[in-house]
Amino acid sequence: MSKAIEISENGLHLRFEITDAGDVRLLHFGAEPMAPDVVKEDQKAGFRLMELQLTGEDRAEYHGRTHRATYPGLRMVYEWHIDTRNETGRKFELFLNDPVTGLQAAQHFQFYDGVQTVRCWTVLKNSGAEPVGVEYVSSFALTGLDKEGIEDRDEKMEISLAHNGWQSELQWRTYKLPELGLSHVIDRGSKRVSCSNTGSWSASEHIPMAVLENKEAGSSLFWQIEHNGSWHWEIIDQVDLLTLLISGPTEHDNHWWKKLQPGEEFVSVPVAVGAVSGGFEQAIAQLTTYRRRIRRDNADNRELRVIFNDYMNCLWGSPTTAKLLPLIDAAAEVGCEYFCIDAGWYAPGEWWDGVGEWLPSAERFPEGIKYVLDYIRGKGMIPGLWLELEVMGINSPKLADADDSWFFMRHGVRVKDRSRYQLDYRNPAVIAHSNEVIRRLVEDYGVGYIKMDYNINAGIGTEAASDSVGDGLLQHNRAYLAWLDGIFQRYPDLVIENCSSGGMRMDYAMLSRHSIQSTSDQEDYVNYAAIAASSPAALTPEQSAIWSYPLREGDDEEVIFNMVNALLLRVHQSGHLAELSPRRRELVKEALDYYKTIRQDIREALPFWPLGLPTQQDDWVSFGLRHQDRVYLAVWRIGGDEAEVRLPLAQLAGLQTNVRCAYPQGVNTDWSWNDESGALTVRLPSAKTARLFEFGVANCLRY
């Protein structure tokens, strides 16, 4: 008789089955217990706990480019399991063994108390006598995604993906599977719906996450891959059901291959997986809570200080003492709390291909850069500087101290991208160089904020000291994270912003360390609205840095629109504040003053979208935050002919609610609130206008 293991923890229900032959199946992972007889006996063999492919091993069935039907994945047998608790929550581990090669595999499930999300990963150990080549190993595998309900999966299943690109980040779209080419025609096939990233920009085309909703069952499965390099996930069909496979890099998709020596271990990339009764917003609520749990504890996510950065629609990477002093004065007057000098502080002129030394330019700062940094501090703000430590320009003076071992190598030459070389953080000399740069900025210059940028994609990896170029990249990715951990341990109060040409490395390997994320390099404030409103689905609101850059030639409504972009997230102030009219500068100050009254709610609030997830094609965009008895709602009119929009807030229907236009307060705004239906109607006569509303509820909200 087979043996069943059932786990009910934090609103998640898992069911494992171990056959007499030792085959381990994960039959269920969901927000509700597994329904009886929902899985047929002849389907169970497809409910693999993990997929694992070794070089030289066979494949079973039709598979195409999918990673199902692997060996020794199909041959692994149960050894034992461990069910314990730690400081985070429950921890469940299943151990399997391949009787042919001696390879052992442990599947880890780490629960988090009070959160319907688990972190999963696989540990391989070669207990055999011969090396083995690993081509693929899943971090999480689940079959039966569509087993609840009677409708066909072509109709009931919808997947939401966040497409990403430079200055076009966070473009959420929701699809039925046939729209992506996966139609229910046969019981199994070779087609897959997949997302994959190859290279050192983890979010170059997609955010490493997704939400899969079963509309008939009213449930959703969601996941994120917590890695700062290459990754892969796929949805396939087998045993007449859908299967999800999530992993880090693979050989066939990402040029990753690992030669595991006898006694050696390999730990796969961690992934977070959860399930809810409900749809997209309920899934994101759980992910938001989980993201807050796994983050490095830091004051920045509690205080949410306002940052001024001199780059965007301002100095554009060409700072000097003369340009900065009036900006510093203006930033202090409107209430900024950090002042970050962006790119260019280290070179007299064109600097792109010469970076790497990170010493201040005497031409730009005749009195020395410390004079300007001290001036910032004298104005009551914390000074910051821009860095791009992971690269070295092809004309950098620092190259005289470096050899090939410092850099990514492919085909015997250094990897070059955009006139920079990629540094290899496995090299102790690179670590020593990076440590010294940070030490100098923090200890000698008194910097408390670093904007850490990363403007290249190093591609498939490095051949140096690795089994494959993808293996070299993965090792480097992990070495960089270890270096970052060491920096935060040495300087716990230092704030380091995660930037990668905006949001090209927006992942929770990075964001579990960094307190703040640059979301975009978008230069048009109107285009930024949809990016800002979409961002809380990919990261916590308090980590989402949004540029607000009033223009020299703008009017009052342009300032208001700019400020609304950022007010429910993390304010990244810029623009030529010193050159704004007194009225327009006062609108900036009014916004920042208001922000400081609500930021204690932002750090604990959960997002929602009354008009659905925004796109760049929408005429109206809206998103809100809810926390206890407060709701905050931003609304933008982008364009179109309609001057009125109705915003349904069903959670407020029938409640005694006080509503006000919180920003701006000195500008006439036409709106009405229907208490009974819970709907806000806003009328904005002109395009490119925005408002922020605040709702107070007499009793706690119903969710």
Side-chain angles (χ1 to χ4, degrees):
M1 290 288 292
S2 61
K3 174 184 177 182
I5 301 173
E6 295 196 16
I7 295 176
S8 294
E9 191 76 12
N10 307 320
L12 288 174
H13 302 271
L14 287 70
R15 181 182 175 89
F16 303 88
E17 181 180 87
I18 304 168
T19 69
D20 290 341
D23 193 25
V24 181
R25 294 116 178 229
L26 174 55
L27 296 182
H28 184 70
F29 181 104
E32 300 291 337
M34 181 176 172
D37 303 321
V38 70
V39 179
K40 300 173 184 176
E41 195 63 35
D42 61 358
Q43 293 176 315
K44 289 184 177 179
F47 282 68
R48 315 306 307 161
L49 176 68
M50 68 177 67
E51 293 285 1
L52 171 62
Q53 184 66 45
L54 298 185
T55 299
E57 291 279 2
D58 201 2
R59 295 291 298 270
E61 279 283 357
Y62 297 104
H63 56 81
R65 293 193 65 205
T66 74
H67 291 94
R68 70 180 183 90
T70 57
Y71 277 102
L74 287 165
R75 200 169 57 220
M76 303 291 283
V77 294
Y78 171 81
E79 284 195 310
W80 70 85
H81 69 272
I82 300 173
D83 195 349
T84 59
R85 294 194 66 84
N86 54 31
E87 66 280 1
T88 299
R90 190 172 183 177
K91 178 74 183 299
F92 185 70
E93 303 166 48
L94 270 163
F95 294 82
L96 292 81
N97 176 61
D98 176 22
V100 175
T101 64
L103 185 67
Q104 293 179 316
Q107 181 72 59
H108 293 253
F109 297 85
Q110 176 65 66
F111 294 83
Y112 291 79
D113 289 338
V115 186
Q116 286 178 229
T117 308
V118 297
R119 179 182 275 171
C120 304
W121 66 95
T122 304
V123 179
L124 302 179
K125 182 176 182 180
N126 187 358
S127 298
E130 300 294 330
V132 296
V134 184
E135 298 181 2
Y136 177 84
V137 58
S138 61
S139 292
F140 180 80
L142 179 64
T143 296
L145 310 179
D146 54 328
K147 66 184 189 298
E148 282 78 26
I150 60 174
E151 292 181 6
D152 191 85
R153 65 178 185 241
D154 285 359
E155 299 300 323
K156 69 185 178 185
M157 305 302 293
E158 291 186 349
I159 189 165
S160 296
L161 309 176
H163 298 271
N164 219 45
W166 182 60
Q167 294 203 34
S168 58
E169 290 86 350
L170 299 161
Q171 299 297 301
W172 284 95
R173 294 293 188 276
T174 300
Y175 307 92
K176 291 186 180 296
L177 296 180
E179 293 177 310
L180 299 174
L182 186 59
S183 296
H184 190 189
V185 178
I186 57 172
D187 61 345
R188 67 205 189 284
S190 61
K191 172 65 180 177
R192 62 184 184 176
V193 168
S194 65
C195 278
S196 195
N197 177 76
T198 300
S200 54
W201 269 2
S202 60
S204 59
E205 292 185 282
H206 296 92
I207 301 294
M209 65 171 294
V211 177
L212 180 70
E213 185 175 359
N214 184 328
K215 302 290 285 188
E216 181 189 1
S219 62
S220 296
L221 182 77
F222 55 88
W223 59 92
Q224 68 178 22
I225 302 176
E226 296 169 358
H227 183 52
N228 53 327
S230 299
W231 51 264
H232 179 77
W233 65 257
E234 61 187 49
I235 293 175
I236 60 177
D237 50 6
Q238 59 178 342
V239 296
D240 211 29
L241 291 167
L242 294 172
T243 293
L244 170 67
L245 299 175
I246 315 177
S247 71
T250 82
E251 181 175 43
H252 295 288
D253 293 290
N254 317 107
H255 302 267
W256 175 87
W257 181 84
K258 176 69 178 173
K259 188 174 186 178
L260 205 60
Q261 299 290 345
E264 189 179 4
E265 286 190 350
F266 172 74
V267 181
S268 75
V269 165
V271 304
V273 187
V276 293
S277 295
F280 186 88
E281 286 185 6
Q282 289 73 27
I284 295 304
Q286 287 297 325
L287 258 179
T288 302
T289 305
Y290 166 80
R291 289 162 174 166
R292 287 169 173 154
R293 287 289 299 277
I294 65 169
R295 256 179 351 207
R296 175 183 60 90
D297 184 44
N298 64 87
D300 191 48
N301 286 144
R302 294 189 293 273
E303 296 169 352
L304 275 65
R305 288 173 170 159
V306 176
I307 306 120
F308 186 93
N309 180 295
D310 65 28
Y311 180 79
M312 184 62 72
N313 286 316
C314 193
L315 300 187
W316 291 119
S318 185
T320 65
T321 300
K323 293 176 184 176
L324 284 167
L325 295 186
L327 271 178
I328 295 166
D329 290 341
E333 287 172 12
V334 298
C336 295
E337 294 157 302
Y338 289 108
F339 190 104
C340 183
I341 301 171
D342 207 276
W345 58 270
Y346 35 76
E350 177 57 40
W351 47 263
W352 184 265
D353 61 4
V355 296
E357 224 175 8
W358 309 113
L359 295 171
S361 165
E363 288 88 341
R364 291 185 181 277
F365 305 102
E367 307 87 349
I369 197 168
K370 197 167 186 306
Y371 171 81
V372 180
L373 297 173
D374 288 344
Y375 189 86
I376 293 168
R377 195 175 294 104
K379 289 290 182 176
M381 296 181 291
I382 298 170
L385 286 174
W386 181 96
L387 279 180
E388 192 173 355
L389 263 187
E390 295 168 73
V391 303
M392 195 170 287
I394 60 174
N395 292 315
S396 174
K398 188 65 180 176
L399 290 173
D401 300 329
D403 57 30
D404 283 349
S405 70
W406 282 51
F407 304 104
F408 272 30
M409 304 287 292
R410 287 202 297 272
H411 308 296
V413 298
R414 297 178 188 178
V415 172
K416 185 190 299 185
D417 188 52
R418 303 190 69 207
S419 301
R420 276 99 175 272
Y421 297 124
Q422 171 69 50
L423 290 170
D424 190 335
Y425 270 69
R426 298 173 298 169
N427 187 330
V430 171
I431 296 296
H433 159 70
S434 300
N435 285 344
E436 172 55 22
V437 173
I438 299 295
R439 187 212 61 77
R440 182 168 65 247
L441 266 60
V442 175
E443 298 182 19
D444 295 351
Y445 301 166
V447 163
Y449 186 100
I450 292 172
K451 177 178 179 178
M452 192 72 81
D453 211 340
Y454 181 60
N455 288 299
I456 75 167
N457 189 337
I460 59 179
T462 175
E463 65 197 13
S466 59
D467 297 328
S468 62
V469 290
D471 175 46
L473 176 60
L474 178 59
Q475 289 184 43
H476 158 80
N477 294 144
R478 289 173 163 172
Y480 181 78
L481 294 176
W483 172 78
L484 197 57
D485 290 339
I487 291 298
F488 281 125
Q489 188 173 14
R490 195 172 304 129
Y491 305 109
D493 297 328
L494 178 65
V495 175
I496 304 180
E497 172 194 337
N498 184 37
C499 182
S500 206
S501 289
M504 297 296 96
R505 196 161 56 176
M506 207 181 307
D507 64 73
Y508 265 86
M510 301 296 283
L511 286 171
S512 63
R513 277 105 174 154
H514 291 279
S515 59
I516 187 168
Q517 167 74 51
S518 173
T519 52
S520 186
D521 279 350
Q522 175 54 241
E523 300 168 21
D524 186 328
Y525 72 96
V526 178
N527 290 338
Y528 215 136
I531 296 172
S534 298
S535 67
L539 66 163
T540 66
E542 64 272 23
Q543 289 179 287
S544 177
I546 304 296
W547 288 108
S548 174
Y549 35 69
L551 307 177
R552 281 168 161 155
E553 65 277 11
D555 57 15
D556 288 5
E557 288 292 354
E558 173 266 322
V559 176
I560 295 165
F561 194 112
N562 254 301
M563 299 310 297
V564 172
N565 281 352
L567 281 181
L568 294 184
L569 300 156
R570 190 70 187 273
V571 180
H572 226 162
Q573 192 65 51
S574 194
H576 287 280
L577 294 186
E579 301 179 32
L580 299 185
S581 68
R583 165 63 182 162
R584 297 177 72 227
R585 196 190 303 185
E586 182 56 37
L587 283 169
V588 176
K589 186 177 188 306
E590 178 193 342
L592 297 184
D593 287 347
Y594 175 69
Y595 179 77
K596 292 173 184 177
T597 70
I598 67 171
R599 58 186 171 185
Q600 75 279 358
D601 287 347
I602 294 173
R603 69 190 187 193
E604 298 178 359
L606 297 175
F608 66 96
W609 295 268
L611 298 177
L613 285 167
T615 74
Q616 288 293 345
Q617 292 71 44
D618 291 338
D619 290 333
W620 289 85
V621 168
S622 182
F623 101 96
L625 296 177
R626 51 183 174 85
H627 176 61
Q628 296 180 356
D629 62 348
R630 292 285 161 190
V631 171
Y632 305 95
L633 185 67
V635 56
W636 296 263
R637 183 182 173 193
I638 309 298
D641 297 328
E642 294 297 324
E644 179 178 295
V645 66
R646 182 179 182 274
L647 301 160
L649 282 77
Q651 67 267 37
L652 299 182
L655 300 180
Q656 184 180 346
T657 306
N658 297 314
V659 188
R660 69 185 183 109
C661 181
Y663 177 78
Q665 292 192 5
V667 177
N668 184 45
T669 302
D670 187 6
W671 60 272
S672 59
W673 169 251
N674 187 312
D675 240 342
E676 185 177 347
S677 64
L680 177 71
T681 300
V682 179
R683 288 165 285 276
L684 296 176
S686 302
K688 301 182 183 180
T689 50
R691 296 294 185 267
L692 181 66
F693 292 86
E694 180 178 331
F695 301 75
V697 186
N699 52 313
C700 288
L701 300 182
R702 300 191 303 250
Y703 294 109

